[in-house]
Amino acid sequence: MKKLVVLLFVIVMIMIVFGGKIEEIQKRGVLLVGQDPAYAPFYGVNTKGERIGYEVELAKMMAEVLGVKVKFVITNWDGIIPALLADKFDFILAGMTITPERALKVNFTIPYYETGQIIFYNSEKYPDGITKEDLEKMEKKAKIAVQLGTTGEFTAKKLFPKAQILTFETVDAAAYQIITKKADVLIFDELYYGSISKKYPAIKTTENLLNKENLGIAIKKENIDLLLWLNTFIECKKTDGTLEQLKQKWMVDYDWSE
């Protein structure tokens, strides 16, 4: 009898601890998704002001399964994890790289995309290209643009400790530095090339990635039910080919220069 009581107590506690977040979202009727202003091809706005992109469509699919609407809560990147911890939204779906440092503060889902950091440069300024070794030789003369709080910033500081690291709130602002030739290179996710190269054909990348990274959805540590559900959702969308279809649609076919 005592064992049964203990078992029932454990089950009730599991339901209390693990069963709350999804129910909260469904009662609210809105899924709140944290993102920063723009990171094409994952998210951005079209000429009508509508939010579009790989992760935008993915979030809408999640909301449809949950039976709710979706709302994107726009937050500056350097404050996006604190905003999640302050319950400004339900999770972060914003091209976030899974790192041990971030995992001290949040839980991550299984990866839904693999990418890596790469060097972007202006071929009008560097017609013969520019390499990692070139930047190392330039030392203090090298000007590297990055988005604040991204793995691009972390990578730049780690690999080029003597360089001038120029930080900006958005990746588009950082990219503007190489477009206008005020910086030598931009260090950012390689998938950004598909959108920026269509807008500015002079922008090129090096052949080799500086590293490889997995992207995941960040969730508050106590929201275990939401974490498990999102893992199941991602695995199903991998298996049925949806993630590959989204990649083709937003990273290959869609013209972000429109």
Side-chain angles (χ1 to χ4, degrees), residues 177-188:
Q177 304 305 303
I178 59 170
I179 292 166
T180 57
K181 305 177 185 177
K182 294 179 180 178
D184 298 297
V185 300
L186 162 72
I187 292 181
F188 201 66

Side-chain angles (χ1 to χ4, degrees), residues 32-172:
L32 302 176
V33 179
Q35 291 182 341
D36 64 325
Y39 177 24
F42 279 127
Y43 47 90
V45 293
N46 60 18
T47 54
K48 297 178 181 179
E50 300 166 330
R51 202 154 181 84
I52 59 170
Y54 179 106
E55 291 177 337
V56 172
E57 190 166 347
L58 191 62
K60 289 179 178 178
M61 291 178 184
M62 295 173 183
E64 184 178 358
V65 175
L66 291 169
V68 299
K69 297 179 181 179
V70 63
K71 179 180 179 181
F72 297 96
V73 182
I74 311 306
T75 307
N76 285 339
W77 184 257
D78 59 334
I80 203 165
I81 288 181
L84 171 66
L85 300 181
D87 291 317
K88 300 296 183 182
F89 34 78
D90 300 312
F91 56 73
I92 300 169
L93 178 55
M96 180 171 280
T97 302
I98 300 170
T99 68
E101 293 78 14
R102 288 170 176 161
L104 291 173
K105 300 177 181 179
V106 300
N107 280 337
F108 281 102
T109 61
I110 59 174
Y112 60 90
Y113 197 93
E114 183 181 283
T115 184
Q117 299 300 302
I118 202 166
I119 295 171
F120 294 75
Y121 65 92
N122 191 327
S123 60
E124 293 177 353
K125 182 173 182 178
Y126 292 105
D128 296 325
I130 186 169
T131 66
K132 177 176 178 285
E133 290 71 27
D134 293 332
L135 290 171
E136 290 172 339
K137 291 176 183 177
M138 291 167 68
E139 297 187 339
K140 294 181 180 180
K141 293 181 180 179
K143 294 182 179 180
I144 302 175
V146 298
Q147 183 183 7
L148 185 66
T150 64
T151 47
E153 179 187 6
F154 307 149
T155 301
K157 289 181 176 178
K158 179 181 179 180
L159 297 181
F160 309 105
K162 296 181 180 180
Q164 299 177 54
I165 308 299
L166 312 177
T167 59
F168 299 88
E169 289 290 345
T170 67
V171 63
D172 289 340

